[in-house]
Structures are given as C-alpha cells and as structure tokens.
Amino acid sequence: MARAPLGSLLNFLYQWAGPTNVGEPSDSELLHRYREGKDESAFATLVRRHGTMVFRVARSVISDPETAEDVFQAAFLVLMQKASSIRKQKSIASWLYGVAYRIALNARMKTMRRRRHETLLAEVPEPAEQSATSHDPEPVLMEELNRLPDKYRTPLLLCYFNGKTNEETAKALGWPSGTVKGRLARARRVLRARLQKRGFALSSTALLAVLQGQSTVLSAELVRRTVQAIGACLLRTGSATLSPGAQALAHQAMRQIWLAKCRAVCLALAGIIAVAGGVAGVVGRTPTTEPTATLSQSAFLLRIKPLGELPPQLYQGIPTAVGLSRDRKSLFVLDRWHDGAQLLVQNLASGKTIDRISLDAGFRCAVANGRYVVVVYGRDDTKECKVRIHDPVSLKPVDEISYNPSRISPGQAFLAGDNLILVGTSLEGDIVPGFGGFGGGGVIGNGQLPFGDAHPVVVMQNLRQHANKASLVQPNLPTPPRGICFTGSHLAFSHPGEPKASLALLDCTSKSLRTLRAKLDDTPILMAANKHHAAIQLLDNRLIVWNLAEDKEQIALESNGMVRALALSPRFEHLAYASSDGHVHLWDLAAKKSIAQIKHLRSHQILFSEDGKVLVSSSPAGLKVWSISE
C-alpha cells in the first residue's frame, strides 16, 4: 500500500489546534487505519487527541521540562509499537495514561539515581526534588488515578483531560449516558476519599477544579517533532529521530510490558502443570512399601513458596516492611526518600496499594503488628516527641501520645502486644546529629543504633493504658551498646569491654540490668531476638544463637558473606539472614541446616510474621514475600 509523503503528514499537524470535528473517527478506527495501512495521519490524530493528557501526566511527575518531553515522546513511541496488541480500543486514553505514568516514574527514578551518584562524587548535599510541593495535589491525583480501574478512569480522562462532554464520552465508549454519569460520580467519590486520606480535604467543586487542572501548554512544536520522528521511523527515512532519552525510556517500558506478559504466561503454565500433576498423581498412585524418607525430604525442601513480589516502581524511595496484618494478606510498608516518607498498606498477592498516609515532618520510625500501626515523630530542637496510633485496617489516626518536653530523641521502635518500646538518645546530653532509623518490624526487630557519645534512653509505653505516664528507663552502661533487639519483654544488647564484649538483658518492666555469661570475641554488629533467644552477627561473619533463658550458646554457623539483615522466627523454628552474596538464607534451627537460599539483591530488612509462617525481605529492588509451611 502506498504511503503518503512525510510533508503531507507535517502539514496535517498544523491543524492540530483547530476545533474538533463532530464526525471525527474514534480511537478504534484510527488504530485500525494505522495497524492495517500504517496511516501516519491517523497516528497524528491520536497524538493530537491525547497529547495534552500525556504531557500533563509527565509534568506532574517530572519537574524538568526536557525530561517531560522525553516521557511524552516515549509514550507515543510505545503506542506505535504496541498498537496491534491493545485490547480495549474504543478509547486508548486509559491504556495510554498507564503507560505514560509508568514511563514518568521510570524517568524520575533514573533522575534520582543520577543525582545520588553525582552527590557521592561531588561530596555535596543532595539537592531536593522540586517536582511538586507537599501542598500540590496534582502528583497525588495522578497516582490515585493510576490506581483506579479502567471503567472509572477512562470516562474521567475523556471528560476532564480531553474535554469531552458526557454525551461525547458515551458515544466514544459505546456506553449509555446513564452509565457514564454513574461511573463519573463513583470515580469522583473514590478520588475525593483517597485524596482526603492523603492530606487533601477537597470539596466537590475543588475536586473538579483539580481534575480539570491548570491549562497545560502543549506546544505545536513538540507535537510536530514527535510525529515527524515517529513518522520517520515508520517510513525508515532517518530524516528525524527521537531523543536518546525518549528512546531509552520507550525501550525500558517495552521491556517491562514484555516481562509482565512473560510472568502472566508462566503463572498460567504453572497452574496448568500443577493441576495436571495433581490429576496424574491421583490416577497413577500405587501402593508402596518404600521408606518415606525421600518423600519427607522433598516436602521439607518444597515448603518455601513465594507469596508475592512488590517491584520498586510501586515506591517513590526505598521500601521497608514494618509489619503484617493479622490475616497475613496485607503488608505495612514504609516508603522513604531523601525529603519525605509515606506508609502504605499493600496486598501481598496483587501488590496493589490498598491505602496510604503521608508522614509529617519530624518523622523518625514506624512499626506495626496487626493490632496497632504506630508512627513516631521527634524534634530535637523543641524537645518534642509524639506517638501517633493508626487503625491497622483503615489507617485512620485513632490516638496520639505526646511527650513534651521529651527526654528522648527517638530512633527505633518495637511492638509486643500492647507495649511499645522506644529506643533513642538522651536530650539532656549530647544529641547525635541526624539520628534516626527505619525502626523494627512487628514483634521481631533488628538493627544497630549509632549512639556515639550520647546516653541511650528506653521508653516503655502501654498503648491500651496510656493515660498512665510512660516508663522511662535509662540504663547506666559504661559504654554505648553496639547492637540492640527486643525479646518481647527485655532489650538484649551488647557493648564492648575488656578483654571481650558482653551480652546484657534489660528488663523493661523492672528496669533491672543483667549481664550474661556470653563473652564474645568480636563486637556484635547485628542482633535479632525472639522470646528466649538472640541471634548475633560477629565481625568475622560468624552467626551465633544464644539461649537467653539458659545463658548459653546454642547454635553457631558460618554466614555466606557479610550479613546485612537478621531475623529469628517467634517460635524458634527458623533463622533468616540477608547476605552480601545477594541471597536471603533460611536455616532450620532444629536440624541446624540451611533449607533455602532465595535470591534478593541488597536486602536490608527481614521480617517474620507473628506466627512465623510468612517471611518478608525488603530491598531497594522491592519486596519479596514467602510462606513457610510444614
């Protein structure tokens, strides 16, 4: 089929700002014309029709205009390459919005990584991201729109982003007018409720103003360059090319789409194989007198099963799991970046974000155990410290405890039942600059606290009976501890000594301090605990498990490289640690042997559920969740 010259295509573009023709073809017809005959004018019409929406999405996520233009071009390049595989073709607005938003997130992540690298090389403070302020609802709106189902998102985009009336939207989608009006009303209610939870209490009129947005200026030059470059790709003339940034972003997006399809195919095949294997096993089963040792060994090795994987694209910064819901179906995740943080509730199976709260200035740490979600704030300059308690289902704040004036600069939190333990440094002496941390998770916490020369302070607070004053404990240690963990009633920690380091237990109720017989050759740098045991990592990469009740070493093992995170299951069934070899290692403590090595690069936090049947690993590369069954 003959193709129109490129010049006629460019002449067509100069009419892009003109009034919309009532009888203009639908997205489905334009895609068909492009797919069947590579009609460049059809593709140019799609760019004109949806360009303002795509550019608005890009500018809401990316502050740099040049990068936003790269996102714009990359989104339409992906549309060109995937036009034949789009299923819902009556309106491509929702599909194109999702693609543009993911590409914008990828571009922002790439920009942040480049800034971090440049900061490390220059040894200067990292510049703050200026894409949006905390008072601008536009970025949050885009994020919540991306979470809406297509049946709600599509009419919103056509009406408020593309400027169509309800009747025009109904005609474009082939829906009754009543369906369009009902879904628009439902979508607005959902968006308004979600924005309110994110800190933007908007009236119905204000929400409409935010949806319509400020006038997004999409230059005719950008549209011309985009279609000219994509038209050159179609004609293979080489007379115009997309920017390298746009090509790289489009390539990354295409790869993500391909990987998503591969995962879907693999899951489908795995389901078919599992069903077929189960049927074959039942049909082909014959009596046997063979020993069951091999069968039990196979069951032993197969009891670690993946529950879900949450990729880094779901987060603005570095994610850290801080707790699991009681039904083990949802995960509480702290998403923290250089100038902000938010707390998310995410479904383990789908990775979908169920709810979220933005964390205020002064945020220090967060912890959850299915009964409570606790967020701790602290300001050293005003000597203020407050604990905000949220409902674990709705994330609504239900209570707040303030310590003013406070004697603690909080850095880490632990939860055991109704008791909250805060560990930090004293505000009566020297304050460690920049002191803070991600906090522990659930009943099990692990980590180390950079006390420096400041005095450690421990506060125990009963969340159910907080009308009583919190119990302030300030252990009189000769030297600051190097590692610290919580057993549910005691804080276990170590501190260097001569000639060897010691292991100590602090009773959070009686405030008594007991030094155990453990004499460690090297100073511990990581510790984790359950009710009766403490796991300790030493400088020579050895791991030992100390029985706190009997005050003796119970297990010793060699780790595979430097240990980055450490956790003990509550019932002393398993020990898990993340190593510098890029794996999470799981040990059966009764058998004293390794039962699994799971690949997860740069894991910095490991968390067991309260029953020990779910294991979560946190990394800048996302979260991975596994079930541990008998």
Side-chain angles (χ1 to χ4, degrees):
M1 181 175 181
R3 291 171 174 168
L6 188 60
S8 62
L9 171 62
L10 299 180
N11 292 330
F12 174 84
L13 289 176
Y14 289 110
Q15 304 174 5
W16 76 277
T20 302
N21 186 3
V22 176
E24 68 179 3
S26 65
D27 288 353
S28 178
E29 294 170 340
L30 292 172
L31 281 175
H32 178 76
R33 284 166 48 186
Y34 168 73
R35 187 174 61 251
E36 297 298 325
K38 299 300 180 184
D39 187 340
E40 295 90 351
S41 64
F43 189 81
T45 302
L46 289 173
V47 176
R48 171 184 58 83
R49 183 176 295 175
H50 300 288
T52 301
M53 175 196 69
V54 172
F55 193 65
R56 180 180 172 185
V57 172
R59 286 309 307 267
S60 70
V61 179
I62 301 296
S63 60
D64 179 53
E66 293 184 1
T67 307
E69 291 184 1
D70 288 343
V71 172
F72 179 89
Q73 293 187 332
F76 284 105
L77 180 58
V78 172
L79 173 63
M80 180 196 75
Q81 295 175 333
K82 302 298 293 184
S84 59
S85 63
I86 300 176
R87 291 178 297 174
K88 299 179 181 179
Q89 297 188 354
K90 288 186 177 180
S91 175
I92 63 169
S94 184
W95 183 90
L96 192 57
Y97 179 95
V99 170
Y101 187 75
R102 285 193 295 272
I103 293 176
L105 290 180
N106 292 336
R108 184 175 67 180
M109 183 64 68
K110 186 177 295 184
T111 300
M112 291 174 64
R113 289 172 178 168
R114 184 178 67 250
R115 285 179 178 176
R116 292 193 187 106
H117 180 69
E118 292 172 351
T119 300
L120 291 175
L121 293 179
E123 297 183 352
V124 297
E126 185 175 354
E129 176 66 29
Q130 301 181 10
S131 59
T133 67
S134 59
H135 302 291
D136 183 10
E138 181 84 354
V140 181
L141 172 68
M142 297 300 171
E143 185 178 350
E144 295 299 341
L145 273 174
N146 190 56
R147 295 173 57 199
L148 285 179
D150 284 342
K151 65 179 182 179
Y152 296 126
R153 183 170 64 188
T154 300
L156 275 177
L157 294 175
L158 292 180
C159 287
Y160 298 114
F161 283 64
N162 288 3
K164 291 182 178 293
T165 65
N166 290 358
E167 291 71 20
E168 291 171 342
T169 299
K171 183 178 179 180
L173 298 176
W175 296 353
S177 297
T179 301
V180 172
K181 293 179 181 178
R183 290 182 177 178
L184 281 173
R186 170 63 177 166
R188 288 195 299 266
R189 287 196 299 270
V190 172
L191 277 178
R192 185 181 175 190
R194 291 181 177 178
L195 288 173
Q196 187 172 7
K197 290 181 180 179
R198 301 287 297 274
F200 297 97
L202 303 176
S203 64
S204 299
T205 304
L207 176 62
L208 288 176
V210 172
L211 282 170
Q212 292 169 352
Q214 299 177 351
S215 179
T216 302
V217 180
L218 178 62
S219 67
E221 175 63 19
L222 175 59
V223 176
R224 185 194 66 79
R225 285 191 286 109
T226 300
V227 181
Q228 182 181 18
I230 294 178
C233 294
L234 291 173
L235 299 175
R236 294 180 173 84
T237 62
S239 58
T241 59
L242 295 170
S243 67
Q247 295 182 42
L249 289 172
H251 177 76
Q252 183 180 7
M254 291 292 295
R255 178 176 174 81
Q256 289 174 343
I257 295 173
W258 179 79
L259 289 174
K261 288 186 176 181
C262 288
R263 283 195 294 268
V265 171
C266 290
L267 288 174
L269 289 176
I272 295 173
I273 293 172
V275 172
V279 172
V282 172
V283 174
R285 184 179 298 164
T286 57
T288 178
T289 58
E290 293 292 327
T292 60
T294 303
L295 292 177
S296 64
Q297 183 179 4
S298 299
F300 183 79
L301 294 175
L302 292 176
R303 64 182 179 180
I304 312 298
K305 298 180 181 179
L307 277 183
E309 183 172 348
L310 285 68
Q313 288 80 11
L314 298 177
Y315 310 102
Q316 297 187 43
I318 297 177
T320 302
V322 297
L324 284 152
S325 62
R326 281 188 169 183
D327 58 7
R328 305 194 306 273
K329 294 181 179 180
S330 302
L331 186 65
F332 302 100
V333 181
L334 174 64
D335 180 16
R336 195 170 193 178
W337 55 99
H338 66 276
D339 61 349
Q342 59 180 344
L343 189 64
L344 313 175
V345 183
Q346 295 181 293
N347 182 276
L348 290 181
S350 64
K352 182 179 179 180
T353 299
I354 303 171
D355 217 331
R356 72 185 70 214
I357 53 175
S358 297
L359 302 178
D360 301 337
F363 164 75
R364 290 299 182 87
C365 55
V367 65
N369 66 355
R371 301 180 184 91
Y372 304 96
V373 176
V374 177
V375 182
V376 182
Y377 298 89
R379 294 188 60 181
D380 299 339
D381 53 348
T382 59
K383 293 191 176 181
E384 293 177 342
C385 175
K386 65 181 178 180
V387 172
R388 188 170 295 165
I389 305 169
H390 296 262
D391 182 86
V393 178
S394 65
L395 276 190
K396 293 182 179 179
V398 296
D399 210 343
E400 185 174 300
I401 308 170
S402 296
Y403 309 102
N404 187 15
S406 174
R407 296 176 58 189
I408 181 175
S409 175
Q412 193 165 6
F414 302 94
L415 268 176
D418 296 326
N419 290 323
L420 171 69
I421 302 296
L422 296 179
V423 184
T425 55
S426 172
L427 287 178
E428 296 180 351
D430 296 331
I431 300 172
V432 180
F435 177 73
F438 282 135
V443 174
I444 307 301
N446 60 72
Q448 59 177 352
L449 297 177
F451 286 104
D453 295 328
H455 295 291
V457 178
V458 179
V459 172
M460 185 175 73
Q461 176 72 66
N462 187 291
L463 299 179
R464 187 180 295 274
Q465 302 174 349
H466 67 79
N468 300 326
K469 290 185 178 180
S471 175
L472 182 62
V473 182
Q474 189 166 357
N476 185 18
L477 301 179
T479 55
R482 294 291 185 89
I484 193 164
C485 54
F486 190 48
T487 70
S489 59
H490 294 73
L491 282 174
F493 52 86
S494 67
H495 51 87
E498 294 295 337
K500 296 182 179 181
S502 300
L503 183 63
L505 277 180
L506 173 66
D507 190 313
C508 294
T509 304
S510 67
K511 307 179 185 179
S512 62
L513 181 66
R514 180 165 65 100
T515 301
L516 303 183
R517 291 196 301 265
K519 297 300 180 182
L520 310 173
D521 293 333
D522 294 296
T523 301
I525 55 177
L526 269 182
M527 293 180 62
N530 58 17
K531 190 173 182 180
H532 300 297
H533 299 83
I536 306 167
Q537 182 220 354
L538 304 179
L539 287 174
D540 60 357
N541 292 334
R542 286 187 300 123
L543 286 171
I544 64 172
V545 178
W546 197 268
N547 189 314
L548 301 176
E550 301 178 10
D551 195 8
K552 67 177 184 180
E553 181 183 301
Q554 189 157 338
I555 298 174
L557 58 99
E558 294 287 338
S559 63
N560 294 52
M562 184 179 68
V563 177
R564 299 181 181 273
L566 189 61
L568 273 174
S569 64
R571 299 175 183 174
F572 196 65
E573 297 164 326
H574 303 103
L575 166 69
Y577 70 89
S579 174
S580 57
D581 65 357
H583 291 81
V584 174
H585 300 262
L586 187 65
W587 278 67
D588 184 286
L589 294 175
K592 299 182 180 181
K593 64 183 296 184
S594 174
I595 59 175
Q597 296 184 25
I598 311 165
K599 188 171 183 179
H600 197 200
L601 298 176
R602 296 180 294 163
S603 173
H604 61 262
Q605 173 82 335
I606 299 177
L607 173 70
F608 278 105
S609 61
E610 289 187 346
D611 58 6
K613 294 183 179 180
V614 176
L615 177 67
V616 184
S617 174
S618 306
S619 163
L623 304 181
K624 289 189 177 183
V625 187
W626 302 274
S627 67
I628 306 173
S629 57
E630 297 295 337

